[in-house]
Amino acid sequence: MEGAKVTGKNRSKPRSGKHTADAPAVDAFTRSALASDLTWMPDLTAVGKPPLTADAYVEAYLADPGEWYWTTILLHDPSEVVLKRVLAIIDQALLPGHEKALGQLGAGPLEDMMSEKLLDRLQHWLPFTPAMRHALGLVRMSSEPLVSQKRLKAMLSR
């Protein structure tokens, strides 16, 4: 378009709140974000337990989800913090071996948080690992909107 005049109508303007090539979006729910920002760790000293590293916490949860379930329920912490914990745990889970923990996370916090917003956040985790598929496969979707049911089904099939 040699000689084209730039006007207000044809000039490209970045939209606020959207990422552009110059300014990539930062999402707190990616693997790298979880590894670099440990604010999702439960405050164990508040319940009289010694502090743990993130790896030790995840290992403890996977080894005995019944002992650690309280760290992933939505009564004590905001859903964003709980989701980060859930994702960190699922990221380290293996099949076979961690079915109980994954089932607890799927039928518990993931089911409680199921929404289009959650599915948006899970986009960063595609393609899903077998552990994530297992946990999400235990989310009861029958009470969710049909659009969410179809979207999750499509995500699980990738």
Side-chain angles (χ1 to χ4, degrees):
M1 287 182 53
E2 185 176 313
K5 182 178 179 185
V6 176
T7 67
K9 290 183 180 179
N10 67 4
R11 182 178 26 193
S12 177
K13 293 181 183 178
R15 295 180 184 163
S16 63
K18 300 285 183 186
H19 71 278
T20 66
D22 297 333
V26 176
D27 191 307
F29 297 93
T30 62
R31 284 179 178 92
S32 60
L34 291 177
S36 64
D37 175 16
L38 299 178
T39 57
W40 54 266
M41 283 288 295
D43 181 6
L44 300 176
T45 58
V47 293
K49 292 184 180 270
L52 294 175
T53 65
D55 288 337
Y57 162 71
V58 169
E59 288 173 20
Y61 189 99
L62 291 169
D64 190 358
E67 173 69 23
W68 293 92
Y69 80 94
W70 60 271
T71 63
T72 58
I73 57 176
L74 295 168
L75 297 175
H76 308 295
D77 294 301
S79 62
E80 291 81 13
V81 171
V82 172
L83 178 58
K84 290 176 185 180
R85 282 183 202 149
V86 168
L87 294 173
I89 294 165
I90 292 173
D91 194 41
Q92 298 300 316
L94 298 173
L95 289 174
H98 296 130
E99 292 86 353
K100 184 176 179 182
L102 294 168
Q104 185 169 288
L105 296 172
L110 287 174
E111 186 171 298
D112 294 342
M113 291 185 276
M114 184 49 65
S115 64
E116 286 296 308
K117 185 176 181 180
L118 174 63
L119 294 176
D120 289 344
R121 289 175 171 164
L122 292 176
Q123 285 287 128
H124 297 285
W125 294 78
L126 287 170
F128 292 146
T129 63
M132 181 69 85
R133 287 180 196 285
H134 186 81
L136 288 170
L138 294 170
V139 173
R140 183 181 42 210
M141 292 296 292
S142 58
S143 62
E144 298 299 328
L146 188 57
V147 67
S148 296
Q149 293 178 37
K150 289 180 179 180
R151 185 172 175 202
L152 179 59
K153 185 176 181 179
M155 291 170 77
L156 287 169
S157 69
R158 291 186 194 173

